Amino acid sequence: MKALIAVLPGDGIGPEVVAEASRCLEAIAAKFGHAFELRQAAVGAAAMDAHGDPLPPATLALARQSDAVLFGAIGDPRYSDPSLKVRPEQAILSLRRELGLFANLRPAVSHPATFHASPLRPELLAGVDLLVVRELTGGIYFGEKRLEGDRASDLCEYSVAEIERIVRLAAGVARGRRGRLTSVDKANVLETSRLWRRTTTRLLAEEFPDVNLEHAYIDATTMHVLRRPADFDVIVTENMFGDILTDEVAMLPGSLGLCPSASVGEGRRGLYEPIHGSAPDIAGRGIANPYGTILSAALLLRHSLELAAEASALERAVATAIEGGALTADLVRPGQPGVTTREAGDAVLRNLS
Ligand code: IPM
Ligand code: MG
């Protein structure tokens, strides 16, 4: 098949990890006989430096025109002051909103080869395979923001339609997995959460009677995902709770560097990015972990291009590379040397052929 893939490397380690994922996509195209055009554009602090805008119109236009977006990371210490009017992070928020990417899928799967890298005990990690589905274009992130004198407010708003579409997506995914859905809210305190809970209960009864639904509070869930992570299948939650919960859940596979994500909407177009940030402390040294970005490219193949066999081949190649000991610095045991970003990419490519 032919596909146009927008490649937005961004800042810090973004370009290094995206380079490896791009090599993998090219190798998949060659192996399976596809024609992927990978077209790069500037985003984040890199785009602020070059064009004075974290999301230049040409980058947004390319994203809209493409079948899928492969994204690296954004953020730069030079622009880290949260009170700045223009900040690199605005680019990712605008991209999500402009492309209508209301669902963020963040899987967390544990590998025995990296149990030692997780802060959790190995016996808790066996069999961990969960997926957080985070609502991505609503809630407190996008509600009205006010600052008046010494008071500030951020409005958290959800409509029934916004809740239905994200829960429908999550329940559909749960149906194709182990059939369990945990909806996470704070219904003992928040009106938006009460609406979320009512809507979820009704929708599951009407459309997904075969999916096993449980409701849980966000505070208790942050504890349960550490005490019994293997019990969870699909977790669905609103934007802010999902932001917090997914960083916590990323500790299960052992490193943020291993975690991919997919942001999707109504159509097939999606944005795929590792969940880690730009890691300026290690940028430019060639030691960043590219696996989260390569696994994001696999999600791109599966969701946006509907190439399931190619996606699985890439995921298997990553698993084999990790099991074969191609561990970057964030994954090795203390005192051991790690492989470089390029060597990790090479290990995946070797296992592809
Ligand atoms: C994430 C990030 C973003 C978010 C930031 C960079 C705006 O933390 O993708 O989880 O809060 O959504
Ligand atoms: Mg986050």
Side-chain angles (χ1 to χ4, degrees):
M1 77 175 297
K2 274 177 72 164
L4 174 61
I5 301 172
V7 177
L8 314 183
D11 307 320
I13 59 172
E16 299 163 49
V17 292
V18 162
E20 297 313 312
S22 299
R23 288 208 297 152
C24 292
L25 285 173
E26 276 155 8
I28 289 278
K31 183 174 158 68
F32 291 85
H34 302 302
F36 297 160
E37 184 189 343
L38 274 55
R39 213 181 288 167
Q40 287 215 8
V43 77
M48 286 170 68
D49 292 339
H51 310 280
D53 183 349
L55 182 63
T59 302
L60 181 58
L62 171 65
R64 281 192 203 285
Q65 194 200 333
S66 62
D67 297 292
V69 180
L70 179 67
F71 191 93
I74 46 178
D76 187 296
R78 291 173 303 137
Y79 302 112
S80 64
D81 176 359
S83 63
L84 284 178
K85 276 257 167 300
V86 181
R87 277 173 293 113
E89 289 80 4
Q90 287 159 349
I92 186 66
L93 296 176
S94 307
L95 269 172
R96 291 170 180 169
R97 185 76 169 186
E98 292 293 327
L99 299 179
L101 306 174
F102 64 84
N104 186 220
L105 280 63
R106 295 186 171 179
V109 182
S110 63
H111 287 279
T114 58
F115 277 2
H116 62 271
S118 172
L120 265 70
R121 292 193 305 276
E123 62 268 28
L124 291 173
L125 295 172
V128 168
D129 179 3
L130 65 84
L131 172 72
V132 180
V133 178
R134 166 188 173 194
E135 201 289 328
L136 203 56
T137 52
I140 197 169
Y141 269 61
F142 292 94
E144 188 195 356
K145 298 188 185 304
R146 282 189 176 199
L147 174 62
E148 276 159 23
D150 60 357
R151 296 184 78 80
S153 65
D154 298 273
L155 183 64
C156 182
E157 240 179 331
Y158 271 107
S159 67
V160 167
E162 282 177 304
I163 299 167
E164 280 179 347
R165 66 180 181 179
I166 186 76
V167 172
R168 188 175 284 123
L169 187 146
V173 176
R175 182 176 265 165
R177 293 170 46 109
R178 304 198 301 280
R180 291 222 307 272
L181 182 66
T182 307
S183 173
V184 173
D185 62 38
K186 187 73 185 171
N188 49 348
V189 179
L190 302 177
E191 206 54 56
T192 40
S193 283
R194 286 190 274 271
L195 184 67
W196 183 282
R197 195 174 275 221
R198 266 201 313 280
T199 305
T200 302
T201 303
R202 176 182 46 76
L203 189 100
L204 269 280
E206 284 169 7
E207 298 181 23
F208 301 89
D210 53 317
V211 171
N212 186 338
L213 170 68
E214 64 167 354
H215 297 283
Y217 294 136
I218 178 63
D219 50 350
T221 305
T222 59
M223 182 176 66
H224 292 312
V225 294
L226 299 184
R227 279 183 73 100
R228 43 179 188 83
D231 283 358
F232 290 89
D233 183 11
V234 179
I235 297 175
V236 64
T237 191
E238 63 99 65
N239 204 344
M240 179 75 159
F241 297 157
D243 178 47
I244 298 166
L245 197 59
T246 50
D247 268 22
E248 188 192 18
V249 158
M251 288 295 93
L252 302 172
S255 167
L256 267 183
L258 284 174
C259 299
S261 83
S263 300
V264 300
E266 296 294 355
R268 297 239 61 96
R269 189 195 302 113
L271 181 148
Y272 302 83
E273 57 172 324
I275 90 159
H276 61 69
S278 58
D281 50 324
I282 59 161
R285 290 168 54 195
I287 59 167
N289 181 344
Y291 293 133
T293 315
I294 297 173
L295 291 170
S296 301
L299 296 179
L300 180 158
L301 292 167
R302 182 174 294 116
H303 291 287
S304 284
L305 308 187
E306 296 182 84
L307 298 174
E310 288 80 342
S312 300
L314 189 51
E315 284 163 351
R316 272 197 311 274
V318 170
T320 312
I322 292 171
E323 280 148 26
L327 302 181
T328 41
D330 54 319
L331 297 176
V332 292
R333 291 174 193 278
Q336 298 281 304
V339 301
T340 65
T341 308
R342 176 47 65 107
E343 284 164 347
D346 285 341
V348 176
L349 291 174
R350 254 196 323 277
N351 290 310
L352 259 183
S353 42

